[in-house]
């Protein structure tokens, strides 16, 4: 059993049968859960108190509340490029402008590029997935996190840190959160249990620093509260030490799957393909030889029953036309291996759009 | 047992024990629940299909998503006055402007006043609690609902209908939703089970008409999904017919409590006090004699351990200085009766601010 839903379900069932979880656990959220989050924050290199947290409907609401707390309509928010399409949609939905900062597949957001932007225009906030970003799978080094926090503190710019993948590290220890370098209360640390334990439970948090009161008010104004049963059950599950045990086996499994995925891409994709080898998380960024259209690959793959995310959806600007994001499941299987091989074959067969039309007609399949 | 939490808890426990509710039920939400909502919509005078609904984290998120779907930053949103303070906060948080339309304690929003506003300025949306509004407890008559929908349809202005109290009617039948007069898909009908069954479960909906796709996208961008376990359990509870049975007894109990509350206010509050006698819902609006400060009454009452909501919080403008909102619980008790009597005594003893200082010093307690 890869996810301890049996135990989690029994805990929730016990609480529900005893009449728990039916009344509000108003913002900032159930104290029992915030106490456990504070305990966990030591893992992130922080030592937060239960009072630092606001419980949310997953990390996505945490980011939404953070954006609303620190930015006003029309404001610019700096974000990685490529960036999670959901975050780009959210920024637009809130009437904000995404300023995309180039990000490398190894170290994440390029801080020199960010600094140049900060010098030339007003940025209301920076939104970064610090650990194993989606779609790049990149990990911002500790030194960069420290520099980023300092760079923003000097300008009083809030940092919204989306740390939803941090617990899915493959190395010996969890990467730190940028939050641990925060001396000014300017970092809003967002996270959830959706990627590691129970997506449908919708339990996340934001440790919002000096914006905690405003986030708490906004949470009330927007959704009143997060579902109580899951708050209480998650607190009990964490208090029992079950989460740490689960993470140890989950990480092993995901790491093995990601290795297999990387090997499979290397074996079956056309020459010239470059793929990231992330040290955590569950996504891989694949750059196909220039001229191969990710959107066409996406369409052809769908016809074969294979879902991939084409590069262009990870930017509001043009770009990433020849890139795709692959997601690993938790367990590798012959079926997945066959699908990746098929994907590589389709990619190899796609006409190169850079070729003139006549040439393509001759060489096309 | 006033709330069937035993049965609801057993249903949820069964689902959780069997491993249900751990994965996403993505927007528009669990089909089983949307099918039950469609069935219930007949009660509202509508005949909606499962495809009309988007499941939300309570009615508040439904309203939040509706506002974001139909209005842009800086837009004006017409709302009742007095209005629920949470809605006023939400409108402000989203960068919108509340335009407060006078509303009467019997019929709700004054449609002539709304029409004058519609003629003079652009209104992006109208937000109304059609049935047993908070804080007035007023009920918009069917004829007014029909006129309101037609008036807005003629101008292509969306109506966000917050119907969170509609099931709590004291009369022979449920008041209709304005949504049932909607021929153009311009009415976004919002509701929840928070006031009648399980506030901590955070299950609501919006039947968003022509804005359904956009609401669904925004829901995904903001909170990804509503907690799955409650969606599935609520669907099972509704399918079993338990909700209708529960509502019958709940309405009787709340109606009796509201009658007792009204009688108690009449008996103990100072002469010149006027209180509403709502035909549903759970709140009562009390207008004290002019000159008695609701804010001071609030402070003094808190000292005595009694919580009331002072009138001024129900408007972003000045006003309602001598008004308060009382909330009924479900069951009347000697303890509550004593608290209301104490409140009336405190109100009677408060100095009248209109009197000159000297006079007040003489007559003050």
């Amino acid at each position: 059993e890869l996810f301890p839903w049996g135990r989690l379900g029994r805990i929730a069932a016990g609480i529900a049968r005893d009449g728990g979880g039916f009344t509000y656990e108003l913002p900032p959220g159930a104290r029992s859960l915030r106490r456990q989050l504070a305990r966990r924050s030591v893992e992130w290199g922080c030592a937060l108190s239960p009072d630092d947290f606001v419980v949310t409907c997953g990390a996505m609401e945490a980011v939404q509340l953070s954006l609303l707390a620190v930015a006003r309509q029309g404001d610019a928010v700096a974000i990685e490029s490529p960036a999670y399409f959901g975050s780009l949609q959210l920024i637009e939905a809130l009437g904000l402008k995404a300023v995309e900062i180039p990000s490398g597949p190894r170290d994440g957001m390029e801080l020199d590029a960010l600094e140049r932007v900060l010098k030339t225009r007003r940025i209301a906030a920076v939104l970064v997935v610090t650990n194993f970003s989606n779609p790049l799978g990149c990990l911002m080094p500790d030194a960069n996190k420290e520099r980023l926090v300092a760079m923003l503190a000097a300008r009083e710019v809030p940092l919204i840190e989306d740390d939803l993948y941090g617990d899915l590290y493959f190395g010996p220890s969890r990467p730190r959160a940028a939050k641990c370098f925060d001396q000014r209360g300017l970092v809003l640390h967002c996270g959830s249990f959706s990627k590691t334990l129970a997506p449908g439970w919708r339990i996340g948090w934001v440790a919002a620093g000096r914006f905690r009161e405003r986030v708490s008010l906004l949470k009330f104004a927007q959704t009143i509260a997060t579902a109580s049963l899951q708050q209480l059950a998650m607190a009990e599950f964490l208090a029992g030490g079950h989460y740490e045990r689960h993470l140890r086996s989950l990480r092993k499994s995901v790491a093995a799957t990601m290795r297999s995925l990387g090997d499979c891409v290397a074996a079956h994709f056309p020459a010239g393909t470059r793929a990231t080898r992330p040290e955590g998380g569950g996504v891989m960024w694949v750059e196909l030889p220039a001229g191969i259209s990710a959107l066409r690959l996406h369409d052809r793959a769908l016809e074969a029953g294979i879902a991939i995310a084409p590069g262009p959806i990870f930017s509001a600007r043009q770009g990433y036309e020849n890139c795709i994001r692959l997601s690993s499941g938790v367990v590798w299987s012959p079926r997945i291996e066959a699908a990746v091989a098929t994907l590589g074959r389709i990619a190899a067969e796609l006409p190169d759009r850079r070729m003139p039309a006549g040439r393509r007609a001759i060489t096309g399949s």
Side-chain angles (χ1 to χ4, degrees), chain A residues 54-127:
Chain A
V54 178
V55 177
T56 62
C57 297
M60 207 65 214
E61 192 190 31
V63 170
Q64 194 267 352
L65 291 165
S66 298
L67 284 169
L68 212 56
V70 305
R72 297 192 142 270
Q73 55 262 20
D75 278 354
V77 174
I79 190 170
E80 300 123 310
S81 185
Y84 172 55
F85 55 85
S87 301
L88 294 171
Q89 278 177 0
L90 177 60
I91 287 170
E92 202 223 319
L94 296 179
L96 305 169
K97 288 188 184 68
V99 176
E100 300 183 27
I101 310 292
S103 299
R106 240 198 109 70
D107 295 349
M109 186 179 275
E110 291 178 13
L111 298 186
D112 290 339
L114 175 64
E115 195 157 36
R116 281 193 298 274
V117 168
L118 288 170
K119 278 177 184 158
T120 56
R121 62 185 292 187
R122 202 184 84 80
I123 297 290
V126 178
L127 169 59

Side-chain angles (χ1 to χ4, degrees), chain A residues 118-194:
Chain A
L118 288 170
K119 278 177 184 158
T120 56
R121 62 185 292 187
R122 202 184 84 80
I123 297 290
V126 178
L127 169 59
V128 180
V129 182
T130 42
N131 298 319
F132 319 122
S133 177
N134 177 355
L136 284 180
C138 54
L139 172 64
M140 182 179 278
D142 279 357
N144 289 29
K145 288 171 185 156
E146 191 167 9
R147 181 182 161 203
L148 173 62
V149 171
M151 184 193 297
L152 297 183
R155 295 171 171 84
E156 292 270 319
V157 174
L159 172 63
I160 302 170
E161 174 178 36
D162 191 359
D163 193 10
L164 76 172
Y165 296 105
D167 286 344
L168 274 176
Y169 57 93
F170 306 152
S173 63
R174 192 195 195 281
R176 301 172 86 172
K179 177 74 180 171
C180 76
F181 300 107
D182 182 29
Q183 294 172 343
R184 305 278 309 283
L186 277 166
V187 180
L188 302 96
H189 182 266
C190 305
S192 80
F193 298 103
S194 304

Side-chain angles (χ1 to χ4, degrees), chain A residues 105 265 269-276 284-289 322-324:
Chain A
V265 166
F269 271 58
T273 297
R274 295 191 305 173
T276 58
M284 179 173 292
W285 186 247
V286 180
E287 192 182 333
L288 300 158
N322 61 324
C323 298
I324 60 172

